[in-house]
Amino acid sequence: MPAGDGDTADKAEIADRRETGTLGKLMLLLDIVTNADAPMRFTDILAVAGQPRGTLHRQLSHLSEEGLLEVDPDGRYAPGLRLLALASRSWARNEFRLIAEPHLRSLQELTGETVHLGVLRGSSVIYLDKVEGRQPVRMYSQIGNASPVYCTGVGKAALSVLPDERVHALLADMSFHQFTPSTRTSRTLLAELAEIRLSGNAFDREEHEVGIRCVAAPIHSDDLSFVGGISVTGPAYRLTFERLNDWAEPVRQAAKSIMSSMRIGLGPRR
Amino acid sequence: MPAGDGDTADKAEIADRRETGTLGKLMLLLDIVTNADAPMRFTDILAVAGQPRGTLHRQLSHLSEEGLLEVDPDGRYAPGLRLLALASRSWARNEFRLIAEPHLRSLQELTGETVHLGVLRGSSVIYLDKVEGRQPVRMYSQIGNASPVYCTGVGKAALSVLPDERVHALLADMSFHQFTPSTRTSRTLLAELAEIRLSGNAFDREEHEVGIRCVAAPIHSDDLSFVGGISVTGPAYRLTFERLNDWAEPVRQAAKSIMSSMRIGLGPRR
DNA sequence: AATTGAGTTCTGAATAATGGAACTATCGGG
DNA sequence: CCCGATAGTTCCATTATTCAGAACTCAATT
């Protein structure tokens, strides 16, 4: 039979049909267990996984043998330590994070507030790094987290550098959850992106969480294969609107420095 | 075929034969890419993976589609952000870590040095948490890392609570790398474990890294299904042998508190 | 234009995953 | 003590995925 051309559409009606075979099913299980609030028993997983018992049992066994899941003495499944090991290695060596780190640090010292580095992934922002003030506060907390684009400073900053058609494509299949009274909707977001393009700064004025504000600026590679941003975040009582404006410039500067370091570090192919 | 007892050896000559089918092969690839110092090209992976080209290509595609790997514009493979997301969720909700956290914190405040929480996994110690002093030092750095048991305070502490036969089993297939002049060997280690059992404290006297010392104490569940430890770590010039002794007691106390919290938190089944 | 190197796609054959059912605990009453 | 649940595990013929090698495309070199 000839290679796939015209009518592959009739097959792909079901949204994002994954073509990852066995792996896809296993990842689904990993997601289920990882997202649960507590370790899950076999039957709990069975109820949501939509797999026959025999199948599910083997899949869970394989995941456990690989250390991706762990079984406690009661037979309940929890995320495995292997995940930590994999993540820590990749995080520690992430080229982009390494390049940005010193800049994040100096921005933190300048402002005294928490500094975030995030990248755009689909219609979410994933935080890659975070530099906090003196408080011995929770590390890891935010890193790796996926947050919506439309209600985070980094998210809006990232969107602002994308061409209109890509923004529209993203907005098309995105649902806007009203986290706080100030959370943006599809309409107001587009207007705001225009402003961000002009000023070079995005703001989060308690749009994701009441009491939390931030100033952000976009970071991107020349070909837009990489799009993200950095932000300075803090409690509303300290980050008055005046303060946010004071820091808009330094945040833009830091973003700019990171982008030049990227061109040196990654730019000229090998 | 009967369950594993006497002579499974003939089959298991080749170290840790995995029985996880497709998943095992994929995890091997993940390990290769995650351990590399830089993103790898297809051919680089091909050279070490020992798979036919067509096969490898499909496997890498699947991993990339799932976000476990990422392909940069040059076609080089790097660890994917999905790993971070999975790990951050599991870390944040890890029951044991949550229970230990406040205790680690107060130990940190008391000593002013870095406090670690680690668990025994096979013949390695995996660090689950870390509380540092005021310096805005690298988060993640150590967390998820696997270090040898025989040259870390936490590792030796953990070994000290295991019954002799389990210790011997572990030592059997363990190779002792001489990290520093003081690194323990198989022989000296056994003698040291005896001391640790008596005193309740393990020490790392620059055995893993020159200039770094620590005091540790074991933590374990009643049935030994969980074995780990906590430690106070710092530079040799600050952690004199006298200091190490001063903190031996508080470290033991903290370990004890964590164990009682565990019994309350996890103890009575469901 | 011809050659090499790198990556991708195709194919029947081999293998591992599937799913239903039968089996074995373990528990709570009566 | 036995009965019936509920929870988890193992078995095995069937089926779908994966495998491996070769053919193919594409770009950079000579």
Side-chain angles (χ1 to χ4, degrees):
Chain A
M1 59 206 70
D5 54 316
D7 55 9
T8 45
D10 57 325
K11 243 314 176 38
E13 316 182 307
I14 297 106
D16 64 320
R17 156 186 297 315
R18 283 184 179 163
E19 275 308 343
T20 47
T22 308
L23 179 60
K25 294 165 197 162
L26 293 175
M27 290 306 292
L28 183 69
L29 293 182
L30 255 193
D31 274 337
I32 289 172
V33 174
T34 314
N35 277 316
D37 297 319
M40 298 176 81
R41 284 172 324 170
F42 181 83
T43 323
D44 302 333
I45 304 176
L46 184 63
V48 293
Q51 296 272 26
R53 289 148 55 121
T55 303
L56 181 65
H57 187 262
R58 178 183 36 76
Q59 290 169 331
L60 291 176
S61 304
H62 283 178
L63 289 169
S64 306
E65 270 179 66
E66 286 294 340
L68 297 173
L69 292 182
E70 288 186 20
V71 199
D72 69 20
D74 300 353
R76 297 177 312 176
Y77 293 86
L81 290 183
R82 180 89 172 269
L83 291 170
L84 270 192
L86 286 168
S88 94
R89 289 192 305 224
S90 22
W91 184 83
R93 289 175 189 167
N94 183 289
E95 288 186 79
F96 174 60
R97 204 209 100 242
L98 286 168
I99 290 173
E101 190 183 316
H103 302 281
L104 300 183
R105 234 177 245 293
S106 37
L107 190 55
Q108 196 287 318
E109 270 159 38
L110 177 70
T111 62
E113 300 290 348
T114 300
V115 173
H116 279 109
L117 168 70
V119 300
L120 183 66
R121 190 58 29 125
S123 57
S124 297
V125 163
I126 295 189
Y127 289 103
L128 247 189
D129 207 347
K130 168 175 173 181
V131 181
E132 309 211 40
R134 44 204 67 272
Q135 334 86 330
V137 187
R138 279 341 299 148
M139 45 187 112
Y140 249 88
S141 59
Q142 193 72 257
I143 295 177
N145 252 24
S147 304
V149 262
Y150 57 88
C151 62
T152 54
V154 172
K156 290 189 287 187
L159 285 188
S160 78
V161 303
L162 293 182
D164 277 346
E165 67 268 22
R166 271 185 72 184
V167 175
H168 283 103
L170 284 180
L171 296 193
D173 43 23
M174 195 190 297
S175 59
F176 287 73
H177 178 75
Q178 194 78 20
F179 290 99
T180 77
S182 350
T183 305
R184 292 294 180 252
T185 61
S186 178
R187 242 181 307 282
T188 55
L189 181 58
L190 282 170
E192 199 181 345
L193 288 184
E195 289 175 34
I196 299 172
R197 286 199 186 102
L198 289 177
S199 70
N201 280 114
F203 296 89
D204 167 0
R205 303 181 179 88
E206 312 190 39
E207 293 157 35
H208 189 24
E209 202 173 324
V210 175
I212 300 289
R213 293 194 188 129
C214 90
V215 215
I219 298 176
H220 59 92
S221 59
D222 296 333
D223 60 354
L224 295 186
S225 66
F226 171 94
V227 178
I230 58 173
S231 69
V232 168
T233 312
Y237 71 85
R238 250 185 296 159
L239 262 66
T240 57
F241 290 114
E242 204 185 344
R243 269 282 168 73
L244 286 181
N245 275 320
D246 293 346
W247 286 332
E249 163 74 9
V251 171
R252 281 206 310 278
Q253 281 305 326
K256 203 172 153 192
S257 313
I258 294 174
M259 281 196 273
S260 5
S261 310
M262 275 172 62
R263 265 183 281 276
I264 298 161
L266 311 171
R269 295 291 154 76
R270 92 199 37 218
Chain B
M1 58 211 68
D5 55 316
D7 54 7
T8 46
D10 56 324
K11 244 310 174 45
E13 314 182 309
I14 298 109
D16 61 323
R17 158 184 295 317
R18 284 182 179 163
E19 274 307 344
T20 48
T22 309
L23 179 60
K25 294 165 195 160
L26 293 175
M27 292 305 293
L28 183 69
L29 293 181
L30 254 192
D31 274 335
I32 289 172
V33 174
T34 313
N35 277 317
D37 298 319
M40 298 176 82
R41 284 172 325 172
F42 182 82
T43 323
D44 302 333
I45 305 177
L46 184 63
V48 293
Q51 296 271 25
R53 291 158 42 147
T55 302
L56 181 64
H57 187 263
R58 177 182 38 77
Q59 292 169 329
L60 291 175
S61 305
H62 284 179
L63 288 170
S64 307
E65 271 180 66
E66 286 295 339
L68 296 172
L69 292 182
E70 290 188 17
V71 199
D72 69 20
D74 300 353
R76 297 179 312 176
Y77 293 86
L81 290 183
R82 179 89 173 269
L83 291 171
L84 271 192
L86 285 168
S88 95
R89 289 192 305 223
S90 21
W91 185 82
R93 288 176 191 168
N94 184 290
E95 288 186 81
F96 176 59
R97 204 210 100 242
L98 287 168
I99 289 173
E101 189 183 316
H103 302 282
L104 301 184
R105 233 179 247 292
S106 37
L107 190 55
Q108 195 289 318
E109 270 158 38
L110 177 69
T111 62
E113 301 291 348
T114 300
V115 173
H116 279 109
L117 168 69
V119 301
L120 184 66
R121 188 61 25 128
S123 57
S124 298
V125 164
I126 294 188
Y127 289 104
L128 246 189
D129 207 347
K130 167 175 171 181
V131 180
E132 309 212 40
R134 44 203 67 270
Q135 335 88 331
V137 187
R138 280 338 304 148
M139 43 187 113
Y140 249 86
S141 58
Q142 193 70 257
I143 295 177
N145 252 25
S147 305
V149 262
Y150 57 87
C151 61
T152 54
V154 172
K156 291 189 287 186
L159 284 188
S160 77
V161 303
L162 293 181
D164 277 346
E165 66 269 22
R166 271 185 70 183
V167 175
H168 283 102
L170 285 179
L171 296 193
D173 43 23
M174 194 190 297
S175 61
F176 288 72
H177 178 75
Q178 193 79 19
F179 290 98
T180 77
S182 351
T183 304
R184 292 295 180 251
T185 62
S186 178
R187 241 181 309 282
T188 56
L189 181 59
L190 282 170
E192 198 181 346
L193 288 183
E195 289 175 35
I196 299 171
R197 286 198 186 104
L198 290 177
S199 70
N201 281 113
F203 296 89
D204 167 0
R205 304 182 178 86
E206 312 189 40
E207 294 157 35
H208 189 24
E209 202 173 325
V210 174
I212 301 289
R213 293 193 188 131
C214 90
V215 214
I219 298 176
H220 60 91
S221 58
D222 296 333
D223 59 354
L224 294 186
S225 65
F226 171 96
V227 178
I230 59 175
S231 70
V232 168
T233 311
Y237 70 84
R238 248 185 297 157
L239 262 66
T240 57
F241 290 113
E242 204 185 344
R243 268 281 167 74
L244 285 181
N245 275 320
D246 293 346
W247 286 332
E249 163 73 11
V251 171
R252 282 205 310 278
Q253 282 306 325
K256 202 173 153 191
S257 312
I258 293 174
M259 283 195 272
S260 4
S261 309
M262 276 172 62
R263 266 184 280 276
I264 297 160
L266 310 171
R269 296 289 155 76
R270 92 198 38 208

